[in-house]
Amino acid sequence: MIENLIVRECQSKDEDSYVKLNLDFMKIVKEEHPYWESLKTPSEEEFKKTFREALGSERIMIIVAEVNNEVVAYANVWSVYSIWSRGKALTVDDLYVSSSCRNNGIGKKIIEYLFEYAKNNDYKRVQLHAEMDNEKAHKLYRAFGFSEKEMLYFMRKLGC
């Protein structure tokens, strides 16, 4: 476990760190999964615009983890209303820890933060997805009591 770890909601001052982490994440994912290579990598300016839109949205929340005042990880989450759960569901879309900080409990702390947030804000369910071969993520999620469900994830690109 890393000392001086703080998990918190992202702020506008985190823009440069968030953009850098996202670009790193995209590079790694595209190398490991050829499907994602077909998506255009945004420029820094495009990512900054997206970051600002996300920060201004009522349904999107970005959580960051910082160590010694440096943002080293993030989670993008969004809120939906689930008819099946009869209330709000919190969906973790991306969870990324910089490669130099992995295996130090940062992902665990982010998930703990999200559970606490969901509990305190009357969410009925927390859900997420991961690549089929991302065993490290699967292990982390199972440790928190997530169970996998057989579903297919469909996506159609629209101008990206």
Side-chain angles (χ1 to χ4, degrees), residues 95-151:
L95 173 59
Y96 178 71
V97 178
S98 67
S99 55
S100 63
C101 294
R102 290 188 188 146
N103 301 313
N104 286 297
I106 294 172
K108 178 182 178 195
K109 288 293 185 190
I110 289 173
I111 291 176
E112 288 171 350
Y113 182 98
L114 292 171
F115 277 150
E116 190 66 23
Y117 176 87
K119 185 175 116 183
N120 291 336
N121 289 279
D122 199 32
Y123 281 83
K124 306 297 183 194
R125 179 173 82 208
V126 176
Q127 58 196 28
L128 48 80
H129 51 265
E131 297 284 352
M132 293 292 290
D133 60 352
N134 191 343
E135 288 299 325
K136 287 183 180 181
H138 301 174
K139 183 179 176 184
L140 174 66
Y141 302 148
R142 286 183 188 117
F144 277 95
F146 285 98
S147 59
E148 62 263 18
K149 302 296 178 203
E150 293 290 326
M151 300 179 99

Side-chain angles (χ1 to χ4, degrees), residues 26 29-30 33-42 153 155-160:
M26 285 188 87
V29 169
K30 284 182 169 197
H33 303 283
Y35 171 79
W36 297 109
E37 183 59 43
S38 66
L39 296 176
K40 177 184 172 268
T41 300
Y153 178 78
M155 183 172 75
R156 180 177 173 187
K157 295 178 279 188
L158 301 172
C160 53

Side-chain angles (χ1 to χ4, degrees), residues 6-20:
I6 297 171
V7 178
R8 60 175 174 77
E9 285 191 50
C10 189
Q11 302 167 1
S12 59
K13 70 177 184 168
D14 302 315
E15 182 177 280
D16 290 336
S17 299
Y18 176 81
V19 168
K20 181 190 177 312

Side-chain angles (χ1 to χ4, degrees), residues 32-84:
E32 294 175 0
H33 303 283
Y35 171 79
W36 297 109
E37 183 59 43
S38 66
L39 296 176
K40 177 184 172 268
T41 300
S43 68
E44 257 186 64
E45 283 309 309
E46 289 170 315
F47 244 131
K48 286 180 179 184
K49 180 178 184 267
T50 302
F51 171 80
R52 292 178 198 132
E53 288 173 359
L55 267 182
S57 172
E58 290 180 16
R59 298 242 180 239
I60 299 172
M61 182 173 62
I62 303 169
I63 301 302
V64 296
E66 64 177 49
V67 176
N68 297 323
N69 297 315
E70 178 187 355
V71 175
V72 297
Y74 71 88
N76 294 327
V77 299
W78 43 278
S79 178
V80 296
Y81 187 86
S82 170
I83 299 297
W84 288 72

